[in-house]
Structures are given as C-alpha cells and as structure tokens.
Amino acid sequence: ALLDENDLLFVDRTFNDLFWQERDPGAQLHLDGDRLEGWLAVQNGEDGAGEDLALTARASLRVFGEGEAPRREGAYDPDLGHTLYLGAAWYDDASLPQGRAVAAEAFYTWEWLSLSGEYVDHGDGILGGHSFWSATGAVALEPDTWEVALRYEDFSSRSDTFVWRLGLNRYLRGPGTKLQANLVRFEHDGADNHQTLVEIGLVASF
C-alpha cells in the first residue's frame, strides 16, 4: 500500500494493499538509522471528526546487504544486490471497537531474483478479525527488459478462497513505462466457484 501504482509488479495490488492504501489526514515522524528505519503516525481515524485518533507504528530492518529499501515490487532493480529486509507494523483506531491490526513483511533480492511476503492480522473490528497473507516471487529474464512473476494470496481465515497470479512484464523505458500481462486464477472451494481472468495493462509515467 506504500508504493505508487507505477511501481507495482502486477496489474492489481494484493488485497491487503488495496484495503490499506486509503490515505487519511494526520502527521508522521520518520526516523532513519541506516539499517533500521521507523515511522510513527497520528491520523484522523474512521470517525472523520478528529476526536478518536488512529495511531500507526512501523519499522523496517535491513538484515544484510547494502541495497536501499525496496523502491518497487519485483526484480527490476539489480543494484539491490543480495539484500534482506524485514518489516513490522501496528495500527490502532480508537473509533473502532477492536480496531487493531498487526502486520509483518519480508523482501529479499539476489541479483535477478526477488522474493517477498506480507501478513496482516486484523482485530475483530476490522474485516471481522480475519488474517490474510500473500507470497510473491519475480525473476528478471532479461535485466531492465523482461520479467516474470508469480503471486499467491490466501484468504482461508475467512473463506476457502485462494488467488494465483502469473505475470509477464515488458519494460519499455525504465521501470515506469511497461506492458503487463496477467493470468489470474480464483479458487473458492466452499462455493465451488472457480474463475480465470486475463488482465492486460499499460503503465506510462514520466
């Protein structure tokens, strides 16, 4: 949810990213300690009146490597080298009963390969208290030109639903201009509902 649309690996974000991408008025403090970074934010919250505030704390640790923090999804950035980042976040909205959530994430790169994952556990006041997670892998077939990616999203905490995404990216002029083709498979075992979608996208940013 922290990345711009033109920095995404697939046409669509993960469900966790879609749900948490909403912006809210507030103030943020950023702490930069080289390998360890932290963010503290105070926001308006769901009441919209500024009475019950939402608090967010987030931290990111570069476990090893000299690469910068992930600037985009996928394996486009070979200069990240052999790098591992771990992150965690906590959220509490006082306007919601049990309006808490905790999240964990990991991002690993090794030359032409990137692996990442995210997990969010919601309090009962957010999405019924269910937890969702996803895992993503990407390979740069030809640096700065062709990239293939695979993503799995798990919603079994709420229903017998799983989503697979297979993606192919063709970079035309840097990471901000690319063609994207995605094959998406929805599996809902509880309702015996299975769907396959094809998504085509063009991203152009200057």
Side-chain angles (χ1 to χ4, degrees):
L2 300 176
L3 298 176
D4 293 331
E5 296 288 341
N6 59 342
D7 292 325
L8 301 180
L9 184 60
F10 293 90
V11 174
D12 291 326
R13 297 177 182 269
T14 65
F15 177 82
N16 283 329
D17 285 357
L18 284 171
F19 182 80
W20 289 100
Q21 70 175 340
E22 180 182 350
R23 300 298 184 256
D24 199 18
Q28 176 181 276
L29 175 65
H30 177 211
L31 307 173
D32 188 352
D34 189 24
R35 288 184 175 274
L36 179 64
E37 288 189 84
W39 296 262
L40 297 172
V42 179
Q43 295 170 282
N44 192 7
E46 286 295 321
D47 65 346
E51 297 178 357
D52 295 318
L53 300 177
L55 304 177
T56 304
R58 180 173 178 264
S60 175
L61 173 66
R62 189 174 78 239
V63 180
F64 59 76
E66 299 300 328
E68 297 180 0
R71 292 161 288 186
R72 59 186 59 87
E73 294 180 333
Y76 182 87
D77 293 319
D79 60 316
L80 287 177
H82 191 206
T83 302
L84 173 64
Y85 274 87
L86 298 178
W90 169 85
Y91 174 84
D92 185 9
D93 190 335
S95 66
L96 299 175
Q98 297 297 313
R100 295 186 179 88
V102 293
E105 62 182 352
F107 185 83
Y108 171 80
T109 63
W110 182 59
E111 297 181 355
W112 44 266
L113 170 70
S114 79
L115 301 172
S116 61
E118 62 182 13
Y119 171 83
V120 182
D121 186 18
H122 304 92
D124 291 341
I126 302 176
L127 294 175
H130 296 285
S131 58
F132 305 131
W133 65 272
S134 67
T136 302
V139 173
L141 300 177
E142 183 178 345
D144 303 337
T145 306
W146 290 100
E147 179 182 46
V148 65
L150 181 67
R151 171 173 288 161
Y152 172 77
E153 292 187 73
D154 187 290
F155 303 93
S156 58
S157 171
R158 185 174 187 177
S159 62
D160 295 326
T161 304
F162 313 92
V163 180
W164 289 93
R165 297 181 188 273
L166 178 64
L168 180 66
N169 295 329
R170 173 62 165 92
Y171 294 94
L172 304 175
R173 193 177 69 177
T177 304
K178 59 192 172 188
L179 288 169
Q180 295 180 291
N182 294 174
L183 181 65
V184 186
R185 178 65 176 177
F186 293 89
E187 300 278 351
H188 193 320
D189 295 334
D192 195 24
N193 183 13
H194 311 293
Q195 300 182 44
T196 301
L197 303 176
V198 175
E199 300 176 329
I200 304 296
L202 169 62
V203 176
S205 56
F206 306 93

